[in-house]
Amino acid sequence: RLAVVIGIDTFKDSGWSPLRYAVKDAQDLAGVFNDPHLGRFDRVQILTSPETTTKERILAAIDELARRNLSPNDTVVLYISSHGTLGRTKDGRLHQYLVAQNTQLNDVTDTAIDLAELKQAFNRLTSRKKVMIFAFCHSGRGKSQLDETMQATLREIKGPFFVRPIDIVSEATIVLTASAWGETAREDRTLENDIYTHFLVEGIKGQDRNGDGAVTVTEAHDYAKEQTYYFTKGEQRPSIESVILGTDPIILSGRVSQTGRPVLYDYTQRYQDLDVMVDGEKKGTLPLGVAVEPGSHRVVLTPKGGTEPIFDEEVTVGSGQQLSIPILLQGYNQGISVRVGYQGFLTNTVDQQVARPLVMYGLAYTNYFLFGSHVGLRADVSYGQDHQTLSVGAGSTGADVSQLAYGAAILYRDAMRQPMPWLAWYAGPRLGGLYMTRDLAAGGMGRENVHTITPGGVVGLHFRYKRRVSFLVESAINYANVKIGGTETSAVYYNLFGGLSVNF
């Protein structure tokens, strides 16, 4: 458990106004991390003196952190309380910067720390449990300052603010910031802290949302986010950037000592600004986590400021379960479908002489759990038989034809948004096989059969009827090498299916 905690009150360049509580912020947080009953961190490096908070020493501390971070199971935390600023790189791109002790106001790009580069360096750490906490902003007010050129740029921009720079966040990193983009992070004299840091420390000390004995970083942040919002009367909204695979694994204090209450959560950016209601009570706005009691609950998700919910259903959760809200919106991640449709050859020679289109009956199993809520694995099998009239030489004859088709597909799916939240589409490549037999009524050829590998692709639609039941329409195109009746022909065949899917 490793942490680097940085607080910078004073700056070499007098153009940067001094901060009152940045050093105290760092010391307060380090105190929680070092507490043997709370954080229990193995090493907390505190950088608060002018000599240790230069650009060079901060970057050296990150390098040292990389050398000490030997295991992917390490917990790694980087906290910084200082000024933030904006600057343009040599190619004219807007970047966010951290102001170090020796940063020059008139030379930000060369003497400040580029936040994107800092994130990239942090993302390269071995750990898959790491968090960056930034107690500064880039709005030009509060805990940020801009040089005269950037201030002039902002004055010339029409509208409240310009587009936020693209941030780089790995699947293993959570980034917490004291305010949303364009808002002001600030210190408070009555709290004697940066406002967000004050409530984050409170959260780490005792906001165990699900009651399992440990406080995770998202539990502490959710508490600090709510308290900061109310303390500033809505003027400061702390934010979180993350791509969490599974649940939040980063424990900041305590130990998991028992099974916790179920939690509904989402900390990605895709569904931000959805209001979450559970059993008629508003729990907050995404991104956040919500602890509930085990059992069934009515969960309603509504776009912020909207009236029509995009999700309004009964959800059953058990003790200790962590349920991702995107999984709810995507639907159940497994399904078995019963299908009926037609299968036929588009290649004319095969259609006339080998097999006509025939009715197929089939089953398919789909699992969107193995690869995530959007990408799933589907296995299918179908069978059909028919008595058909085929062309043989200059004449025709009857034949009993049967076909067995099977295959596996990797499918990408996505749910439609308003105004059709009940509709989802899916598509992907499919690799399968086709086993075909026929008995000709004439010619004395007896039973013939062919087996061929059939690569192709599939596309379809799901129409949700109820939570666990949906209708499907699907089409597939496949390639086959048909060798039957003494001839070998490359052919293309199609499937058209409709069916009923039971989801679980």
Side-chain angles (χ1 to χ4, degrees):
R1 295 171 66 77
L2 308 168
V4 173
V5 180
I6 301 169
I8 309 174
D9 274 348
T10 59
F11 304 87
K12 183 177 181 180
D13 187 335
S14 60
W16 305 106
S17 60
L19 294 169
R20 293 191 296 267
Y21 306 117
V23 170
K24 183 175 182 296
D25 293 336
Q27 292 170 342
D28 288 352
L29 190 61
V32 177
F33 288 162
N34 279 318
D35 191 317
H37 303 293
L38 292 173
R40 300 180 296 104
F41 273 65
D42 300 295
R43 184 176 188 271
V44 181
Q45 184 178 9
I46 308 172
L47 307 180
T48 54
S49 69
E51 296 78 19
T52 60
T53 53
T54 63
K55 175 181 178 179
E56 295 73 23
R57 291 294 296 273
I58 291 173
L59 295 180
I62 303 300
D63 291 339
E64 174 67 15
L65 196 59
R67 288 191 290 271
R68 292 179 178 273
N69 175 208
L70 302 179
S71 168
N73 293 318
D74 290 346
T75 296
V76 182
V77 178
L78 172 64
Y79 170 88
I80 305 173
S81 181
S82 180
H83 277 303
T85 191
L86 296 171
R88 292 199 181 276
T89 58
K90 293 179 181 178
D91 60 3
R93 295 187 179 184
L94 179 71
H95 275 217
Q96 299 166 298
Y97 289 88
L98 162 69
V99 177
Q101 193 276 338
N102 60 339
T103 296
Q104 299 175 28
L105 184 60
N106 61 356
D107 189 15
V108 166
T109 55
D110 287 332
T111 61
I113 298 175
D114 189 323
L115 219 56
E117 294 179 2
L118 182 63
K119 288 181 182 180
Q120 287 177 326
F122 198 71
N123 285 339
R124 288 194 292 268
L125 296 182
T126 302
S127 174
R128 294 194 57 80
K129 297 192 292 185
K130 50 186 182 281
V131 58
M132 307 176 80
I133 307 171
F134 297 144
F136 49 83
C137 62
H138 301 88
S139 64
R141 305 178 304 275
K143 294 180 72 177
S144 73
Q145 283 184 242
L146 307 176
D147 62 25
E148 292 182 1
T149 301
M150 187 57 62
Q151 291 180 42
T153 299
L154 293 185
R155 286 194 295 269
E156 292 171 1
I157 293 174
K158 296 179 180 179
F161 219 75
F162 46 91
V163 178
R164 172 186 185 141
I166 295 175
D167 289 305
I168 302 171
V169 185
S170 78
E171 294 178 344
T173 303
I174 297 174
V175 179
L176 308 181
T177 53
S179 62
W181 170 246
E183 291 184 348
T184 303
R186 65 194 78 181
E187 299 179 311
D188 184 79
R189 195 169 292 174
T190 60
L191 299 178
E192 297 184 342
N193 275 122
D194 167 90
I195 297 172
Y196 172 72
T197 302
H198 177 86
F199 292 117
L200 183 69
V201 170
E202 280 191 359
I204 296 172
K205 287 181 176 179
Q207 292 303 314
D208 178 12
R209 177 176 54 209
N210 66 344
D212 65 355
V215 178
T216 65
V217 63
T218 53
E219 287 176 324
H221 170 76
D222 283 351
Y223 171 81
K225 171 187 172 183
E226 183 179 31
Q227 295 301 315
T228 300
Y229 179 84
Y230 287 119
F231 188 87
T232 62
K233 297 180 172 59
E235 293 183 2
Q236 183 176 335
R237 297 172 299 164
S239 65
I240 183 169
E241 305 166 11
S242 89
V243 185
I244 299 176
L245 297 180
T247 56
D248 169 15
I250 304 175
I251 295 174
L252 294 185
S253 69
R255 290 185 174 90
V256 176
S257 58
Q258 60 188 9
T259 302
R261 292 188 296 162
V263 175
L264 309 177
Y265 75 97
D266 179 40
Y267 290 97
T268 64
Q269 296 300 307
R270 182 172 186 189
Y271 296 110
Q272 63 180 340
D273 293 333
L274 284 183
D275 289 333
V276 181
M277 294 189 67
V278 179
D279 298 330
E281 180 183 353
K282 184 176 177 180
K283 295 295 186 178
T285 303
L286 295 184
L288 87 166
V290 177
V292 297
E293 297 300 325
S296 296
H297 301 274
R298 183 186 176 192
V299 178
V300 180
L301 305 174
T302 307
K304 190 174 181 65
T307 57
E308 290 295 323
I310 64 171
F311 183 88
D312 183 356
E313 296 185 23
E314 197 87 358
V315 175
T316 301
V317 286
S319 296
Q321 184 177 1
Q322 306 260 350
L323 183 58
S324 168
I325 287 175
I327 293 294
L328 291 181
L329 292 168
Q330 290 295 327
Y332 284 71
N333 55 27
Q334 298 181 80
I336 294 178
S337 59
V338 180
R339 298 137 32 105
V340 60
Y342 272 94
Q343 180 168 291
F345 286 91
L346 295 175
T347 305
N348 188 62
T349 302
V350 180
D351 178 71
Q352 297 290 325
Q353 300 178 13
V354 179
R356 299 282 191 177
L358 75 164
V359 177
M360 302 285 286
Y361 302 91
L363 292 172
Y365 167 75
T366 307
N367 188 319
Y368 285 93
F369 179 75
L370 299 177
F371 302 108
S373 62
H374 284 289
V375 180
L377 181 67
R378 204 275 300 279
D380 63 78
V381 62
S382 57
Y383 176 80
Q385 61 179 2
D386 192 16
H387 183 79
Q388 301 179 341
T389 300
L390 303 176
S391 298
V392 178
S396 61
T397 185
D400 291 322
V401 177
S402 66
Q403 296 182 29
L404 173 68
Y406 61 90
I410 296 177
L411 301 179
Y412 178 87
R413 73 168 179 181
D414 200 2
M416 299 290 188
R417 305 293 171 239
Q418 297 293 350
M420 296 183 293
W422 39 266
L423 178 63
W425 63 270
Y426 60 92
R430 178 183 180 274
L431 180 63
L434 176 65
Y435 182 77
M436 182 168 53
T437 66
R438 69 175 187 173
D439 286 313
L440 296 177
M445 299 179 66
R447 171 168 289 192
E448 300 173 292
N449 61 72
V450 62
H451 180 243
T452 180
I453 301 300
T454 59
V458 60
V459 62
L461 293 172
H462 264 284
F463 303 86
R464 188 176 67 182
Y465 172 60
K466 292 187 176 180
R467 186 63 184 160
R468 292 183 179 269
V469 179
S470 58
F471 298 101
L472 65 91
V473 177
E474 179 182 302
S475 175
I477 295 292
N478 308 275
Y479 169 83
N481 186 40
V482 179
K483 186 176 182 180
I484 197 168
T487 62
E488 184 173 349
T489 305
S490 296
V492 176
Y493 74 93
Y494 65 89
N495 304 109
L496 294 173
F497 281 114
L500 181 71
S501 179
V502 178
N503 310 306
F504 56 96

